[in-house]
Amino acid sequence: MKITTLLAISLGAILTNNFIFAQFLGICPFLGVSKKSDTAIGMGLAVTFVMGLASAITYAVNLLLVALGLEFMQTVAFILVIASLVQFIEMFLKKSMPSLYTALGVYLPLITTNCAVLGVALLNVQNEYNFIESVVYGVTGGLGFLLAIYLFATVRERTEFADYPESFEGFPIALITSGLLALAFMGFSGLQVWPM
């Protein structure tokens, strides 16, 4: 396996095919948790951890499903794996980091239904990644989510004190801001790391 393949997967997951700005997956927690940068970092780290771990476990689950001829059960099996992982993480955070658990509040269970986590598992199968590529894609996809939610949270913190029309208050200014950030990330789509 070439290091350039892993680098291409990593840069693609973080910049060019960012789950938030390019694939529009995981928008619910992105808009809900991105009001403060410290909460956004906690959510981004939790999603990164879940995406990496889910990629590893769903790779093994997928091998089992293929061996048994049950490929049609992938989505259901992946949802069960992700829901179980989030429950364990929720219990861990409640015991070891109660402040982060309280800060994330209702958004922590949203990781269970975060389509970015399910999306990474399904994209690993669709792209036919091996185990290492799957884990790299999961972790770097989570880091791309973390980057997106942190950038958006810092911009939202500043827009609270900005002067804009009253009709843009709340979600309208958030959606305009996220659209502008998505346009900025589109600039990476022509990125060529090394000559072909």
Side-chain angles (χ1 to χ4, degrees):
M1 176 181 359
K2 292 183 177 180
I3 193 77
T4 55
T5 304
L6 295 178
L7 182 62
I9 291 170
S10 299
L11 288 176
I14 294 171
L15 298 175
T16 58
N17 291 322
N18 187 288
F19 280 97
I20 297 291
F21 295 133
Q23 299 183 22
F24 308 112
L25 296 172
I27 300 290
C28 299
F30 173 72
L31 290 173
V33 182
S34 61
K35 292 179 181 166
K36 296 188 186 241
S37 56
D38 55 342
T39 309
I41 289 174
M43 181 67 165
L45 290 173
V47 167
T48 302
F49 180 72
V50 170
M51 285 175 91
L53 200 55
S55 293
I57 294 173
T58 55
Y59 179 83
V61 168
N62 187 53
L63 288 178
L64 180 66
L65 291 174
V66 169
L68 296 173
L70 298 171
E71 296 92 352
F72 61 93
M73 294 294 293
Q74 284 174 340
T75 305
V76 174
F78 292 173
I79 288 171
L80 289 173
V81 167
I82 292 165
S84 302
L85 278 173
V86 172
Q87 287 301 314
F88 287 124
I89 290 168
E90 191 173 356
M91 291 187 307
F92 173 76
L93 286 178
K94 192 173 185 179
K95 286 274 189 195
S96 63
M97 298 179 214
S99 60
L100 179 60
Y101 175 79
T102 306
L104 291 175
V106 72
Y107 297 108
L108 190 58
L110 275 179
I111 298 175
T112 304
T113 58
N114 187 344
C115 52
V117 180
L118 179 59
V120 76
L122 293 173
L123 286 168
N124 284 335
V125 173
Q126 181 181 349
N127 295 333
E128 298 178 0
Y129 289 151
N130 62 30
F131 179 76
I132 300 293
E133 292 170 342
S134 294
V135 173
V136 166
Y137 187 60
V139 171
T140 55
L143 291 175
F145 181 89
L146 172 63
L147 175 66
I149 198 169
Y150 178 72
L151 288 174
F152 188 59
T154 57
V155 171
R156 278 184 89 175
E157 286 176 348
R158 293 172 192 248
T159 58
E160 285 184 26
F161 304 108
D163 187 26
Y164 50 83
E166 190 176 326
S167 60
F168 287 143
E169 207 161 306
F171 272 118
I173 195 69
L175 293 174
I176 290 168
T177 305
S178 64
L180 291 172
L181 282 170
L183 283 173
F185 270 70
M186 281 181 63
F188 294 116
S189 63
L191 182 68
Q192 187 173 4
V193 179
W194 56 89
M196 293 290 183

